[in-house]
Amino acid sequence: VQLQASGGGLVQAGGSLSLSCAGSGRAFSTSPLAWFRQAPGKERTFVAASAWNDYSTYYADPVKGRFTISRDNAKNTVALQMNSLKPEDTAVYYCAAGDPFRICRPAERGACYNYWGQGTLVTVSS
């Protein structure tokens, strides 16, 4: 099972960026999916999650209203659309997936996700 994140880059404050994460090895249609991020010198933190059972989405307070997580089960991908980016959004972004049929409560619990992508760097300049 592998997750491959892509789409990071350099963007000015106020701009937008879209991240994508492709899964391989098995289908993720029945897995919880999430994005986390790790800023320089800080611990990894939750960004957003998508539940497989009812398609609920969850967001960390700092990104609510600006970021959108979406899954495409046919393509085995999960995306993170990031709008109105701020310098404090600068971080390495990681996609993550949980075991099949697992329900993550709370969704932001990192231990719920067993599979992690390699990370993609997002840099927001002021």
Side-chain angles (χ1 to χ4, degrees):
V1 176
Q2 288 189 332
L3 297 173
Q4 182 73 35
S6 62
L10 174 65
V11 63
Q12 287 188 334
S16 298
L17 210 57
S18 181
L19 305 182
S20 182
C21 178
S24 62
R26 65 169 173 85
F28 288 94
S29 58
T30 55
S31 292
L33 301 174
W35 288 92
F36 288 75
R37 68 186 180 185
Q38 187 168 17
K42 296 186 177 181
E43 295 185 351
R44 186 177 62 194
T45 58
F46 170 76
V47 176
S50 169
W52 64 269
N53 54 325
D54 59 4
Y55 296 101
S56 294
T57 55
Y58 306 89
Y59 297 93
D61 286 342
V63 308
K64 282 181 180 176
R66 301 188 297 122
F67 291 11
T68 303
I69 187 172
S70 61
R71 64 165 69 206
D72 187 330
N73 289 334
K75 296 182 179 180
N76 223 29
T77 59
V78 58
L80 185 68
Q81 177 64 39
M82 306 183 293
N83 299 326
S84 302
L85 283 162
K86 305 175 181 180
E88 51 264 42
D89 294 319
T90 294
V92 176
Y93 284 72
Y94 299 91
C95 56
D99 285 330
F101 305 107
R102 188 167 190 176
I103 296 177
C104 295
R105 288 178 182 158
E108 59 265 32
R109 190 166 65 93
C112 189
Y113 304 94
N114 293 336
Y115 308 99
W116 294 81
Q118 85 288 1
T120 185
L121 176 63
V122 172
T123 303
V124 184
S125 63
S126 57

